[in-house]
Amino acid sequence: MSNCSQRKGLRPNMVASAVIVLLGGLSSVSYAKEQCLDDREPVVSLDFGSRYKADSKSRSDIDTESDAEVTNALKTIDVFIQDLTRLVGKAQTEEDPEKQVAMSTCVLDAVYDWAKADALSDLRTMNAKLAAPARLGAIAIAYAEAASLIPDKKVEKQVIETWLQARARATMNFFDNEATNGASRNNLRAWASLAVGQIGIISKQMELVDWSIESNRTMIAGSADDGSLPLEMRRKKYALHYQLHALTPLVTSIAMLCSAGYGNGDADLARLGTIANFTIEGVNNPAIVEALVGAHQSTEPGIKANTASLAWLEPYVSLTEDKSISGELAGLRPLRNSKLGGDVTRIYGNKRIDCSTDAVR
C-alpha cells in the first residue's frame, strides 16, 4: 500500500492528535493527503489479443469486440499513468517546497508499490508485449521527474530502478529476438526505445542508452525520401495516424537523450526534419497521404483537430528550432500526452536542446 494513501478507521483520539499536529502546517500536509494517489492494484499480468480482425493484412480493420477487450485490459495501467503524470506535473510547478516534496513522494511511493509487485513482468501474449513498453516508459518518465525532487528514499529508489532495468532488458530481448519483422522496426520499436532510453538515463546503463540510440537511428534511416515511414504507410486508412504515433516517441526519445547529455547518437536530424514536415503537411492535407497509400485517412484534417497527436512538436522544435513548425504551435499550447510526462509544453516548451556534443558519453 502506498505510504500516501488515505488511511481509514482512525480512532477519535487519533483524529484529535492529528488535528493538533496539523495546526502549525495545515496547508501543506492536508493538501498532500488530498492530492495523493489512491491505491491502484499493480498490473503484473497482461493477456489480450489484437484490436484488428485476424484476416486484416494491413491491420486496418478493427474488430470492435476485441478492441474493447484490449482497452479494458489496459485501463487500470493507463489510469495509473494519468494519475502519476497529473501529480508529478503539479509537483514540478509547485512553489511550496514542502508540498512539492509531499506530492513527489506520493508518486514515488505509488511506483514503489508496482516495483515491489514486479508489475508488467507476466506478459502472456505478443500483443501484451507490444503494448507494455509505452506504459513502462510513461512510468519511468514520471518516476524520473518525481525522484529528482526527493533527496532521500534511497532504498525505494533502488527497488524501483532495479525493477525498471529488468523490464527494460526484457523489452530489448523481445524486440531483438521475438517481435515480428514489422513490429521490430515500426512505431512499436520507437515506443520501446523511449522507455529503454529513459531507464538507461535513470540508471546510467549505457547498454540501455545505446540500444535506444541505435533504435532511433534505424527508425530515421528507414524513412522514405519524402519523409513517410513505409511501415506506417502500410496501415492504409490509418497510415497518417500511425505516422503520428511513431513520431511521438521517436522525437521525444532523441530530445530526452540529448537533454541528458548523450548527444543525438548520430541521428540524422535533417532527415528527421523531412519526416516531421511530411507529417505536418499530411495533417493539414491528408490527401497527400491518401495519394500515397490509396486509402481515405481516418485522421481529420487540420492541426487543431489533432492536438492530442502533436505533443512531439514541443521536443522537435526544441531540437531543431524549426521556425515553420514552431509557428504551428501558436494557440495549441499546452500540448499534453500522459505517456510523455503529461504537460509536454512544461517539459520542452521554449527550450533549446543542444545535440552537438556527447558530453556524458
Side-chain angles (χ1 to χ4, degrees):
M1 177 178 291
S2 170
N3 292 339
C4 287
S5 301
Q6 291 184 359
R7 269 54 171 182
K8 298 180 180 179
L10 289 176
R11 297 189 301 275
N13 62 325
M14 293 174 67
V15 174
S17 299
V19 171
I20 294 171
V21 170
L22 290 174
L23 287 176
L26 179 60
S27 60
S28 63
V29 178
S30 61
Y31 181 87
K33 283 181 69 63
E34 290 171 3
Q35 297 298 320
C36 213
L37 300 177
D38 291 333
D39 282 337
R40 292 205 176 276
E41 193 69 24
V43 176
V44 177
S45 300
L46 285 174
D47 184 356
F48 51 81
S50 174
R51 295 181 185 273
Y52 302 94
K53 295 179 180 179
D55 60 354
S56 178
K57 293 182 179 179
S58 64
R59 290 175 60 80
S60 60
D61 300 301
I62 295 286
D63 182 316
T64 305
E65 183 176 345
S66 183
D67 181 47
E69 289 174 355
V70 173
T71 298
N72 185 62
L74 292 168
K75 183 177 180 180
T76 297
I77 185 171
D78 286 343
V79 171
F80 178 65
I81 288 167
Q82 291 163 14
D83 287 344
L84 290 178
T85 55
R86 168 185 56 79
L87 193 50
V88 81
K90 289 183 177 181
Q92 287 283 344
T93 56
E94 176 56 57
E95 295 182 358
D96 184 326
E98 289 187 23
K99 291 180 182 179
Q100 187 179 66
V101 171
M103 287 187 284
S104 299
T105 300
C106 288
V107 171
L108 189 143
D109 285 348
V111 177
Y112 178 57
D113 285 346
W114 282 52
K116 287 189 298 180
D118 201 12
L120 302 179
S121 60
D122 182 24
L123 307 178
R124 300 180 180 181
T125 63
M126 179 74 71
N127 287 286
K129 292 177 182 180
L130 292 171
R135 278 81 186 171
L136 178 68
I139 293 172
I141 291 170
Y143 164 72
E145 285 211 285
S148 69
L149 299 174
I150 304 172
D152 53 5
K153 293 272 188 177
K154 292 182 179 180
V155 172
E156 290 87 346
K157 288 179 180 178
Q158 183 59 53
V159 171
I160 291 169
E161 292 173 22
T162 297
W163 167 66
L164 288 174
Q165 289 177 59
R167 301 280 60 76
R169 289 192 167 84
T171 297
M172 293 162 60
N173 179 68
F174 169 73
F175 277 91
D176 286 346
N177 301 302
E178 299 177 37
T180 63
N181 189 48
S184 66
R185 296 177 295 128
N186 67 7
N187 68 85
L188 295 162
R189 178 63 171 253
W191 283 104
S193 175
L194 178 63
V196 171
Q198 175 64 88
I199 295 167
I201 291 169
I202 292 168
S203 60
K204 296 182 172 58
Q205 294 289 315
M206 286 309 304
E207 174 192 2
L208 309 189
V209 170
D210 286 339
W211 191 87
S212 180
I213 287 173
E214 181 60 29
S215 296
N216 296 337
R217 184 188 299 133
T218 300
M219 283 284 296
I220 295 174
S223 64
D225 290 342
D226 63 2
S228 63
L229 297 173
L231 290 173
E232 312 310 332
M233 293 300 104
R234 294 180 185 177
R235 305 300 292 273
K236 297 299 183 181
K237 67 181 178 182
Y238 293 119
L240 182 54
H241 168 84
Y242 279 106
Q243 174 97 6
L244 285 162
H245 196 55
L247 267 181
T248 298
L250 175 62
V251 173
T252 307
S253 177
I254 295 170
M256 181 183 68
L257 289 163
C258 286
S259 295
Y262 294 104
N264 62 24
D266 296 327
D268 188 338
L269 295 184
R271 196 176 184 101
L272 182 66
T274 301
I275 300 171
N277 280 280
F278 170 86
T279 306
I280 294 301
E281 289 172 8
V283 168
N284 283 321
N285 182 16
I288 295 172
V289 179
E290 290 169 1
L292 187 63
V293 304
H296 180 74
Q297 292 302 288
S298 64
T299 303
E300 293 292 323
I303 294 295
K304 289 186 178 180
N306 292 280
T307 54
S309 301
L310 292 170
W312 58 270
L313 285 176
E314 292 287 19
Y316 176 77
V317 170
S318 295
L319 278 169
T320 65
E321 294 187 298
D322 188 319
K323 290 183 171 36
S324 63
I325 288 186
S326 179
E328 300 280 4
L329 291 177
L332 300 181
R333 286 172 163 152
L335 295 176
R336 301 178 185 275
N337 187 311
S338 62
K339 293 184 177 66
L340 303 182
D343 186 343
V344 185
T345 297
R346 172 184 62 79
I347 299 171
Y348 293 102
N350 297 315
K351 295 178 182 177
R352 177 71 177 104
I353 299 175
D354 182 8
C355 288
S356 60
T357 60
D358 293 343
V360 175
R361 301 187 76 199

